[in-house]
């Protein structure tokens, strides 16, 4: 178990140090700002669409290692997915970090399974899900106010 936990930590630290898809996306069809006032994580998610399919997504901002790694991995996974696919993925990810599931369920999320350990730390759930809530707000074009996990 310790080896697996070490691997998970290594993946999260790698995405934190070298976030993928980091920076402004220009032009973006939609964007939203997310803020976690509890720990100060703040990010902006930019989305480019072709119909209801995400063709490109990027993020920028500052946050803890969990927040940044979650945003980095999310941007890698959602490219090419439809709104419905992303909605279903959001629900599975949220379940992963909030409810105890089986190892099989965790593995079905692929690389996102590294966040399964977050469920043991409720305050970190908000860090891990901030980018997902922000992406959903951007896709639904509801981003008049910053999205918050509070």
């Amino acid at each position: 178990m310790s080896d697996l936990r070490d691997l998970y930590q290594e993946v999260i630290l790698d995405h934190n140090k070298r976030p993928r898809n980091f920076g402004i996306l220009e032009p973006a069809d939609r964007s939203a700002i997310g803020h976690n006032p509890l720990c100060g994580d703040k990010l902006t998610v930019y989305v480019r669409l072709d119909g209801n399919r995400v063709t490109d997504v990027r993020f920028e901002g500052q946050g803890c290692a969990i927040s940044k790694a979650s945003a980095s991995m999310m941007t890698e996974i959602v490219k090419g997915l439809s709104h419905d696919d992303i909605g279903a993925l959001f629900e599975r990810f949220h379940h992963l970090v909030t409810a105890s599931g089986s190892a099989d369920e965790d593995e079905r999320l692929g690389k996102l399974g590294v966040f399964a350990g977050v469920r043991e730390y409720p305050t970190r759930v908000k860090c891990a899900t901030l980018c997902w809530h922000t992406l959903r707000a951007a896709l639904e074009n509801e981003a008049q106010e910053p999205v918050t996990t509070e």
Side-chain angles (χ1 to χ4, degrees):
M1 185 67 173
S2 179
D3 289 342
L4 191 57
R5 186 168 289 193
D6 290 346
L7 173 64
Y8 288 174
Q9 240 178 355
E10 193 175 304
V11 170
I12 288 171
L13 291 175
D14 178 53
H15 277 270
N16 176 49
K17 286 181 183 174
R18 289 179 290 279
R20 283 59 157 186
N21 304 303
F22 187 79
I24 298 172
L25 177 64
E26 293 186 278
D29 296 311
R30 297 188 185 163
S31 65
I33 297 171
H35 184 223
N36 179 358
L38 186 64
C39 67
D41 296 344
K42 191 170 186 178
L43 59 86
T44 303
V45 174
Y46 304 92
V47 179
R48 189 176 300 150
L49 300 166
D50 181 10
N52 78 343
R53 193 162 297 278
V54 171
T55 59
D56 203 359
V57 57
R58 297 181 66 86
F59 77 101
E60 66 171 357
Q62 295 182 344
C64 66
I66 296 292
S67 175
K68 207 174 203 180
S70 182
S72 175
M73 293 174 73
M74 177 193 77
T75 60
E76 285 189 313
I77 291 170
V78 301
K79 284 184 185 177
L81 298 181
S82 70
H83 286 203
D84 290 345
D85 294 338
I86 292 170
L89 186 59
F90 173 91
E91 293 301 325
R92 290 194 337 250
F93 182 76
H94 195 267
H95 185 266
L96 172 81
V97 297
T98 58
S100 61
S102 69
D104 289 344
E105 288 174 341
D106 296 352
E107 286 179 16
R108 283 189 290 172
L109 281 169
K111 292 170 30 176
L112 291 175
V114 300
F115 291 99
V118 169
R119 69 175 70 114
E120 297 172 26
Y121 307 96
T123 58
R124 304 308 259 166
V125 169
K126 295 176 182 189
C127 302
T129 59
L130 178 64
C131 62
W132 291 90
H133 287 287
T134 308
L135 173 62
R136 187 162 69 176
L139 291 174
E140 294 174 3
N141 214 13
E142 296 178 340
Q144 305 301 318
E145 299 284 326
V147 175
T148 179
T149 52
E150 286 302 308

